[in-house]
């Protein structure tokens, strides 16, 4: 059932800001029914395990809706205080932290990264010398899309932030510095380390002290914390034969993670709405927390993003860009500032229409790529094109048609004939291999098969298979994208080498196997 908001005091006094008031308004019955139908239709179409939705109109929270369970079948209902992984919506919190440090005179956007991290290196020495703090934030560094993401995901893994800073020097650029937009995550981790160096404390400590506490985001979590002490934590899900099944469930002690500055923060709906209102209708105290000058810089266009055919058709968009932790575009003639978040089994979206002082946020704890696209589009159209009659099912049908067209032209190979290879078939290629940024893997016999195991990423483990004349690794965890294994014989003074590639060439860019360059360094023990 929806929670219809009555005018009331929503946010009490918070540390460092004095009394910050957030008033909520009562929507008309028609508005409430409209939002209910949008959410209900999305849940029904995509069989979502759980969702939390909030809408702001003219600076006031007018609609809250939660549905589903933290874990499917548990009976533990989603509430406005349920924590979700906000994934890449963490990036805007990281850039706000950096903006705080700029306001305090502890760093400048144009400072070289090496001023704070002397060990920082990119593949090109000129780029290393010219990489500014601001360049870490705009996805225009030259890193290929998702470059190095295998040091972040799948979790858990043993890569540290020091490993990431070291590994960047070995990832070959995919394009020239500052010439185009290609989404990356590693440089946001570096940005978190810049903040730590400039702020004199760990990223996690600074995030609590400089962002969560001053803004009263009392439920948001980063770093190590206790699941049961905090309570009410949504778990990610995947769909299995039409059922939502929890995956990667949290242990009682949730550890600090390397990826936090890029995508490791968790928040509840109440706090995300407070975070959104801080951008739409900041109080004098919040403007003291982060100056208007820094707010403008964070949400200003810094790197153009190509406008997709779909966005052009659906939104009449002419320009799209990335700021510092925010995307932005014109939608039906109105300026839209937003970001999404994606982790395995968790999806989120925060969208702002600054000229209207309006926006929305939602978080889903299930497979929801299309659901997020559709719900975000319909909620946006509620503001920018209120006369538009296209509903949830219209957009969902459009995505289904596009998926069918993609499948008809897909270069995804047929894997139905794959079989495990016997150790004798690939005896020439078995052994220990090393990539300079990813580290060691083993391709060694076990139980009559050949197994792939990554030393620092234990979830990247699987069985070597054969299709025709080619080899691939089929991961034990089916959530990861299978990968081709292409071996090259030793020649001259070069050892045996191994390159990898996604079985599905259009698969998730974070499975950046193409950036790996392994050399055989020893035999199997």
């Amino acid at each position: 059932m929806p929670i219809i908001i009555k005018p009331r005091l929503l946010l009490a006094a918070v540390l460092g800001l004095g009394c910050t008031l957030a008033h909520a308004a009562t929507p008309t019955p028609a508005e409430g029914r409209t939002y209910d139908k949008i959410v209900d239709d999305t849940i029904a179409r995509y069989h979502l395990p759980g969702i939390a939705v909030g809408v702001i109109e003219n600076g006031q929270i007018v609609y809250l809706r939660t549905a589903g369970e933290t874990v499917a079948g548990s009976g533990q209902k989603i509430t406005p205080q349920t924590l979700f992984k906000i994934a890449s919506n963490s990036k805007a919190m990281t850039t706000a932290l950096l903006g705080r440090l700029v306001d305090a005179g502890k760093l400048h956007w144009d400072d070289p990264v090496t001023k704070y991290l002397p060990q920082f290196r990119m593949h090109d020495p000129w780029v290393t010398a010219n990489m500014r703090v601001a360049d870490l934030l705009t996805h225009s560094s030259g890193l290929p899309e998702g470059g190095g993401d295998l040091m972040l995901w799948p979790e858990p893994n043993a890569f540290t932030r020091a490993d990431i800073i070291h590994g960047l020097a070995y990832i070959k650029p995919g394009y020239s510095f500052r010439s185009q937009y290609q989404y990356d995550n590693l440089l946001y981790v570096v940005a978190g380390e810049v903040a730590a160096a400039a702020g004199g404390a760990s990223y996690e400590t600074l995030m609590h002290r400089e962002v969560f506490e001053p803004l009263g985001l009392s439920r948001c979590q980063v770093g190590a914390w206790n699941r049961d002490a905090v309570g009410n934590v949504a778990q990610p899900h995947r769909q299995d034969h039409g059922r939502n099944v929890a995956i990667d469930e949290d242990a009682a002690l949730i550890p600090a993670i390397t990826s936090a500055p890029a995508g490791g923060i968790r928040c509840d709906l109440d706090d995300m709405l407070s975070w959104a209102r801080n951008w739409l209708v900041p109080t004098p105290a919040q403007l003291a927390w982060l100056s208007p000058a820094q707010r403008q810089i964070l949400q200003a266009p810094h790197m153009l993003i190509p406008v997709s055919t779909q966005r052009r058709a659906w939104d009449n968009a002419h320009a799209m860009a990335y700021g510092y932790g925010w995307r932005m575009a014109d939608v039906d003639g109105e300026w839209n500032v937003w970001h999404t978040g994606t982790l395995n089994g968790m999806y989120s979206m925060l969208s702002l229409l600054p000229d209207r002082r309006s926006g929305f946020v939602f978080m889903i704890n299930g497979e929801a790529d299309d659901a997020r696209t559709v719900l975000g589009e319909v909620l946006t159209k509620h503001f920018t094109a209120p006369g538009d009659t296209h509903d949830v099912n219209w957009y969902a049908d459009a995505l289904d048609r596009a998926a069918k067209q993609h499948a008809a032209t897909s270069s995804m190979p047929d894997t139905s004939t794959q079989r495990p290879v016997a150790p004798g078939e690939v005896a020439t290629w078995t052994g220990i291999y090393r990539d300079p940024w990813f580290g060691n893997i083993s391709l060694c016999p076990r139980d009559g098969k050949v197994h792939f195991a990554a030393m620092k990423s234990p979830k990247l483990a699987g069985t070597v298979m054969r299709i025709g004349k080619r080899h691939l690794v089929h991961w034990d965890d089916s959530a990861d994208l299978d990968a081709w294994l292409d071996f090259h014989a030793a020649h001259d003074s070069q050892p045996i080498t191994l390159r990898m590639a996604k079985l599905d060439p259009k698969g998730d860019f974070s499975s950046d196997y193409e950036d790996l360059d392994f050399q055989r360094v020893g035999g199997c023990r």
Side-chain angles (χ1 to χ4, degrees):
M1 294 296 291
I3 300 174
I4 302 300
I5 307 300
K6 302 295 183 181
R8 60 185 175 91
L9 181 67
L10 191 66
L11 189 63
V14 293
L15 294 175
L17 290 190
C19 188
T20 304
L21 303 182
H23 293 287
T26 304
T28 67
E31 286 176 327
R33 288 194 298 271
T34 296
Y35 289 129
D36 275 341
K37 179 170 174 50
I38 292 170
V39 176
D40 287 341
D41 287 353
T42 305
I43 295 171
R45 180 69 181 245
Y46 293 103
H47 310 290
L48 303 178
I51 188 171
V53 184
V55 180
I56 299 168
E57 294 184 6
N58 194 27
Q60 297 181 321
I61 301 168
V62 300
Y63 182 81
L64 290 179
R65 174 71 182 278
T66 61
E69 300 169 308
T70 59
V71 176
S74 69
Q76 298 170 346
K77 300 299 184 184
I78 301 287
T79 74
Q81 293 77 44
T82 299
L83 288 179
F84 289 79
K85 296 176 181 179
I86 65 171
S88 285
N89 273 302
S90 305
K91 289 179 169 69
M93 293 186 174
T94 296
T95 60
L97 169 59
L98 291 166
R100 283 272 290 169
L101 296 172
V102 172
D103 272 343
K106 295 183 178 181
L107 65 79
H108 299 91
W109 296 117
D110 288 335
D111 285 342
V113 174
T114 52
K115 176 180 177 179
Y116 303 96
L117 303 173
Q119 73 277 29
F120 173 79
R121 297 287 184 275
M122 296 293 284
H123 193 270
D124 184 329
W126 187 90
V127 174
T128 300
N130 288 275
M131 181 78 74
R132 307 166 302 155
V133 173
D135 292 317
L136 299 173
L137 310 175
T138 58
H139 307 293
S140 59
S141 67
L143 283 178
E145 185 179 34
D149 274 2
L150 287 173
M151 287 190 280
L152 300 179
W153 301 289
E155 294 173 332
N157 62 59
F159 289 100
T160 66
R161 291 170 189 167
D163 289 332
I164 287 172
I165 293 172
H166 169 79
L168 280 165
Y170 300 99
I171 302 177
K172 296 178 181 178
Y175 58 96
S176 58
F177 186 40
R178 297 180 187 151
S179 67
Q180 61 177 276
Y181 171 91
Q182 292 289 342
Y183 196 85
D184 79 81
N185 288 291
L186 294 195
L187 293 182
Y188 268 80
V189 176
V190 175
E193 291 301 274
V194 168
S202 71
Y203 169 82
E204 287 78 6
T205 296
L206 291 173
M207 184 56 63
H208 278 283
R209 188 178 75 201
E210 301 293 331
V211 179
F212 296 168
E213 292 175 9
L215 291 180
L217 308 181
S218 60
R219 291 276 295 165
C220 289
Q221 301 292 328
V222 70
W225 50 286
N226 187 288
R227 178 201 63 196
D228 299 328
V230 172
N232 200 356
V233 183
Q235 300 301 314
H237 293 74
R238 63 175 172 83
Q239 289 202 355
D240 184 8
H241 297 93
R243 295 175 56 251
N244 286 301
V245 178
I247 57 173
D248 300 330
E249 292 189 64
D250 293 316
L253 181 61
I254 295 172
I257 55 176
T258 299
S259 61
I265 293 173
R266 303 197 206 193
C267 292
D268 68 10
L269 180 60
D270 284 345
D271 282 350
M272 288 301 287
L273 286 167
S274 295
W275 171 246
R277 293 186 74 258
N278 158 74
W279 298 104
L280 293 170
V281 284
T283 65
Q286 288 169 340
L287 291 173
W289 169 76
L290 187 66
S291 68
Q294 297 311 320
R295 290 167 180 269
Q296 182 178 11
I297 288 171
L298 297 182
Q299 295 188 347
H302 293 284
M303 172 52 58
L304 290 176
I305 303 173
V307 179
S308 68
T309 301
Q310 177 179 291
R311 184 168 291 277
R312 175 71 174 170
W314 286 7
D315 293 344
N316 192 30
H318 299 78
M320 185 173 169
Y322 204 87
Y324 294 168
W326 297 93
R327 294 187 184 100
M328 52 212 67
D330 62 311
V331 178
D332 301 319
E334 300 198 32
W335 195 236
N336 184 205
V337 177
W338 85 98
H339 214 287
T340 55
T342 305
L343 282 173
N344 188 22
M346 284 269 185
Y347 287 77
S348 65
M349 182 173 185
L350 171 60
S351 181
L352 309 175
L353 294 161
D355 295 338
R356 287 177 173 266
R357 305 196 306 171
S358 299
F360 59 85
V361 60
F362 61 82
M363 298 171 287
I364 301 169
N365 64 330
E367 291 183 10
D369 194 359
D370 283 359
R372 180 181 59 196
T373 299
V374 168
L375 181 56
E377 188 68 21
V378 177
L379 288 175
T380 300
K381 291 294 187 182
H382 179 71
F383 292 104
T384 65
D388 189 283
T389 59
H390 295 152
D391 62 5
V392 164
N393 287 314
W394 187 92
Y395 286 107
D397 289 343
L399 291 182
D400 286 348
R401 288 193 297 272
K404 288 179 181 178
Q405 291 173 357
H406 168 77
T409 60
S410 174
S411 55
M412 178 73 173
D414 178 5
T415 61
S416 61
T417 61
Q418 68 178 326
R419 61 171 180 83
V421 299
E425 294 181 70
V426 289
T428 303
W429 310 121
T430 57
I432 307 300
Y433 290 77
R434 179 169 179 78
D435 173 84
W437 61 266
F438 188 70
N440 286 3
I441 65 163
S442 64
L443 285 168
C444 293
R446 192 181 76 204
D447 301 327
K449 300 177 182 179
V450 178
H451 288 264
F452 180 113
M455 301 308 173
K456 283 194 169 185
S457 189
K459 291 192 72 174
L460 282 181
T463 302
V464 177
M465 313 291 283
R466 189 179 193 117
I467 298 178
K469 295 182 178 181
R470 296 195 70 180
H471 298 100
L472 63 101
V473 57
H474 177 61
W475 303 116
D476 296 338
D477 186 342
S478 59
D480 296 313
L481 293 172
D482 289 353
W484 292 115
L485 301 174
D486 293 317
F487 299 97
H488 302 276
H491 64 91
D492 299 330
S493 60
Q494 294 297 313
I496 293 171
T497 60
L498 166 64
R499 300 302 301 266
M500 297 176 65
K502 288 184 281 291
L503 199 65
D504 180 358
K506 296 183 179 180
D508 184 2
F509 62 72
S510 287
S511 298
D512 60 316
Y513 309 125
E514 293 80 3
D515 298 325
L516 297 166
D517 189 1
F518 289 104
Q519 291 189 349
R520 190 176 184 274
V521 295
C524 296
R525 295 180 181 178

